[in-house]
Amino acid sequence: MTEVILHQPLDMHLHLRDGEMLRTVAPLSAHSFSGALIMPNLVPPVTDGQMLRDYRQQILEAIGDETFEPYMTLFFKPEYDFDFLAPLAEELTAVKLYPAGITTNSEGGVSGFDVEELRPALSAMSELGIPLCIHGETGGFVMDREKEFVPIYEELAVAFPDLMIVMEHITTAESVEALDRHPNLYATITLHHLLITLDDVAGGMLRPHLFCKPIAKRPEDREALLRVALEAHPKVMFGSDSAPHPRHAKEAPGCAAGVFTAPVALPALAELFARHGKLENLQRFVGTNAQENYELDPPKKKVRLVDTPMKVPEKYGDVVPLFAGEEIGWSIASVE
Ligand code: NCD
Ligand code: ZN
């Protein structure tokens, strides 16, 4: 039997939703992860200190007695300034910027990327040491949206050299290349973008549960992502982008974007890293890199993963997970 022990695994991009959905999905992440960066795209989005505190409280109630730190984010608004952000800096781990309308619940995001317009908010974040996480896609052709956004990432990285900028859920070779050109650019990578390409989504029968933003790209893009994930490039961190939607919203003429991966993330990552002979790098990809880059001190948790197969449930509540009804080669043996 092969095993790997992870200490303080972290998921640096997670959608927990609210209400009933939160109560269904939060315990699944809280069980196996020490903490996660919680996305703010609720309806309405999390845009002030009171909403942030209320949401954190809801999450803590939903996870019961699991040991888990929700690292909170605010939904970026160009109006944020130093006086607004300074009193929140202790409660915030990052601010998440969405281009307006680019993905689920992002209507109130940023239109146009005018550095001068963004300067007050981004200078304040830079001064306060608050990282900026970005959903980097333009409104262009769906396969080119992320590639077209790379110059915007680079412009921001140069204009705000002391601001930590995280390129969220990168899916292209171009984003991987940009990482090493700027000391303040970082990235998260999902599980599903390490596993699938557009062919898996739409190359045969359409598979709505694999449809997400950014859409999975070409084999050579996946190769580039795999390369930096498997070597646990120090600026690359695991962020599942686990994004649950009720089954009726996925199996529908207008399919919502998002892949629900939280309950299978660690076993599937272990299987992937083992298959490539890189298990020794998994700790850095799924914990240590994020701890160092974000300067986090997550609650202690020791997760033992073994190469004993796991049968993935068809559904969790009303949500269909990645690998629903299938077997994956690894499972969680214990969590302490
Ligand atoms: C996310 C969601 O459903 O909130 N969807 C997705 O496809 N990833 C939003 C996001 O991160 O883009
Ligand atoms: Zn997301």
Side-chain angles (χ1 to χ4, degrees), residues 13-15 39 41 96 98 103 135 168-169 213 241-243:
H13 185 130
L14 179 64
H15 298 272
M39 292 298 123
N41 62 332
K96 173 73 185 284
Y98 292 90
T103 188
H135 182 120
E168 292 298 327
H169 42 52
K213 301 286 177 66
D241 196 17
S242 178

Short mmCIF file of all heavy atoms in Angstrom, two decimals, residues 13-15 39 41 96 98 103 135 168-169 213 241-243, ligand 2:
data_model
loop_
_atom_site.label_atom_id
_atom_site.label_comp_id
_atom_site.label_asym_id
_atom_site.label_seq_id
_atom_site.Cartn_x
_atom_site.Cartn_y
_atom_site.Cartn_z
N HIS A 13 -9.17 28.46 -3.22
CA HIS A 13 -10.24 29.05 -4.05
C HIS A 13 -11.46 28.15 -3.92
O HIS A 13 -11.55 27.11 -4.57
CB HIS A 13 -9.80 29.14 -5.52
CG HIS A 13 -10.79 29.84 -6.40
ND1 HIS A 13 -10.44 30.87 -7.25
CD2 HIS A 13 -12.13 29.66 -6.57
CE1 HIS A 13 -11.52 31.29 -7.90
NE2 HIS A 13 -12.55 30.56 -7.51
N LEU A 14 -12.39 28.56 -3.09
CA LEU A 14 -13.53 27.68 -2.80
C LEU A 14 -14.84 28.46 -2.75
O LEU A 14 -14.91 29.52 -2.12
CB LEU A 14 -13.29 26.98 -1.45
CG LEU A 14 -14.39 26.04 -0.95
CD1 LEU A 14 -14.55 24.83 -1.89
CD2 LEU A 14 -14.10 25.56 0.47
N HIS A 15 -15.85 27.91 -3.40
CA HIS A 15 -17.21 28.48 -3.34
C HIS A 15 -18.04 27.66 -2.37
O HIS A 15 -18.27 26.47 -2.63
CB HIS A 15 -17.86 28.48 -4.72
CG HIS A 15 -17.12 29.30 -5.73
ND1 HIS A 15 -17.36 30.65 -5.91
CD2 HIS A 15 -16.11 28.99 -6.57
CE1 HIS A 15 -16.54 31.12 -6.84
NE2 HIS A 15 -15.76 30.14 -7.26
N MET A 39 -14.71 32.30 -1.57
CA MET A 39 -15.07 33.27 -2.60
C MET A 39 -16.32 34.06 -2.19
O MET A 39 -17.22 33.52 -1.54
CB MET A 39 -15.29 32.56 -3.94
CG MET A 39 -14.01 31.99 -4.50
SD MET A 39 -12.79 33.30 -4.84
CE MET A 39 -11.42 32.74 -3.84
N ASN A 41 -18.68 35.60 -4.11
CA ASN A 41 -19.71 35.86 -5.13
C ASN A 41 -21.07 35.29 -4.74
O ASN A 41 -21.66 34.49 -5.46
CB ASN A 41 -19.27 35.36 -6.52
CG ASN A 41 -19.04 33.86 -6.58
OD1 ASN A 41 -18.70 33.23 -5.56
ND2 ASN A 41 -19.22 33.27 -7.75
N LYS A 96 -11.24 39.72 -4.02
CA LYS A 96 -11.39 39.01 -5.28
C LYS A 96 -12.01 39.92 -6.33
O LYS A 96 -13.08 40.48 -6.12
CB LYS A 96 -12.30 37.79 -5.06
CG LYS A 96 -12.69 37.03 -6.33
CD LYS A 96 -11.54 36.23 -6.89
CE LYS A 96 -11.91 35.59 -8.22
NZ LYS A 96 -12.77 34.42 -8.08
N TYR A 98 -13.58 40.39 -10.04
CA TYR A 98 -14.24 39.76 -11.19
C TYR A 98 -14.49 40.79 -12.27
O TYR A 98 -15.04 41.86 -11.97
CB TYR A 98 -15.62 39.21 -10.80
CG TYR A 98 -15.62 38.04 -9.85
CD1 TYR A 98 -15.66 38.23 -8.48
CD2 TYR A 98 -15.62 36.72 -10.33
CE1 TYR A 98 -15.69 37.15 -7.60
CE2 TYR A 98 -15.65 35.64 -9.46
CZ TYR A 98 -15.68 35.87 -8.09
OH TYR A 98 -15.71 34.80 -7.23
N THR A 103 -18.68 35.51 -15.05
CA THR A 103 -18.97 34.18 -14.51
C THR A 103 -20.15 34.28 -13.54
O THR A 103 -20.77 35.35 -13.43
CB THR A 103 -17.70 33.60 -13.84
OG1 THR A 103 -17.93 32.23 -13.49
CG2 THR A 103 -17.30 34.38 -12.59
N HIS A 135 -10.14 36.88 -11.28
CA HIS A 135 -10.68 35.97 -12.30
C HIS A 135 -10.28 36.58 -13.64
O HIS A 135 -10.95 37.50 -14.12
CB HIS A 135 -12.21 35.85 -12.17
CG HIS A 135 -12.81 34.90 -13.16
ND1 HIS A 135 -13.52 33.77 -12.78
CD2 HIS A 135 -12.78 34.89 -14.51
CE1 HIS A 135 -13.91 33.12 -13.87
NE2 HIS A 135 -13.48 33.78 -14.94
N GLU A 168 -6.22 33.56 -10.66
CA GLU A 168 -7.02 32.44 -10.16
C GLU A 168 -7.30 31.41 -11.25
O GLU A 168 -7.44 31.74 -12.42
CB GLU A 168 -8.35 32.96 -9.58
CG GLU A 168 -8.17 33.78 -8.31
CD GLU A 168 -7.57 32.98 -7.16
OE1 GLU A 168 -7.85 31.77 -7.06
OE2 GLU A 168 -6.83 33.57 -6.36
N HIS A 169 -7.37 30.17 -10.81
CA HIS A 169 -7.72 29.02 -11.67
C HIS A 169 -7.17 29.16 -13.10
O HIS A 169 -7.92 29.21 -14.06
CB HIS A 169 -9.23 28.77 -11.70
CG HIS A 169 -10.10 29.98 -11.80
ND1 HIS A 169 -9.93 30.94 -12.77
CD2 HIS A 169 -11.13 30.39 -11.04
CE1 HIS A 169 -10.85 31.88 -12.59
NE2 HIS A 169 -11.59 31.57 -11.55
N LYS A 213 -16.07 27.98 -15.76
CA LYS A 213 -15.32 29.15 -16.21
C LYS A 213 -14.04 29.23 -15.40
O LYS A 213 -14.14 29.13 -14.17
CB LYS A 213 -16.15 30.42 -16.01
CG LYS A 213 -17.48 30.43 -16.74
CD LYS A 213 -17.29 30.65 -18.22
CE LYS A 213 -18.62 30.60 -18.98
NZ LYS A 213 -19.55 31.69 -18.67
N ASP A 241 -11.58 25.71 -6.83
CA ASP A 241 -12.70 26.35 -7.53
C ASP A 241 -13.92 25.43 -7.53
O ASP A 241 -14.71 25.44 -8.46
CB ASP A 241 -12.33 26.77 -8.97
CG ASP A 241 -13.33 27.75 -9.54
OD1 ASP A 241 -14.11 28.34 -8.77
OD2 ASP A 241 -13.35 27.92 -10.78
N SER A 242 -14.01 24.61 -6.48
CA SER A 242 -15.19 23.77 -6.33
C SER A 242 -16.39 24.70 -6.27
O SER A 242 -16.47 25.57 -5.40
CB SER A 242 -15.05 22.95 -5.05
OG SER A 242 -16.20 22.15 -4.85
N ALA A 243 -17.32 24.54 -7.22
CA ALA A 243 -18.40 25.51 -7.39
C ALA A 243 -19.72 24.78 -7.57
O ALA A 243 -20.15 24.51 -8.68
CB ALA A 243 -18.10 26.40 -8.61
ZN ZN B 2 -14.29 30.37 -8.58
#
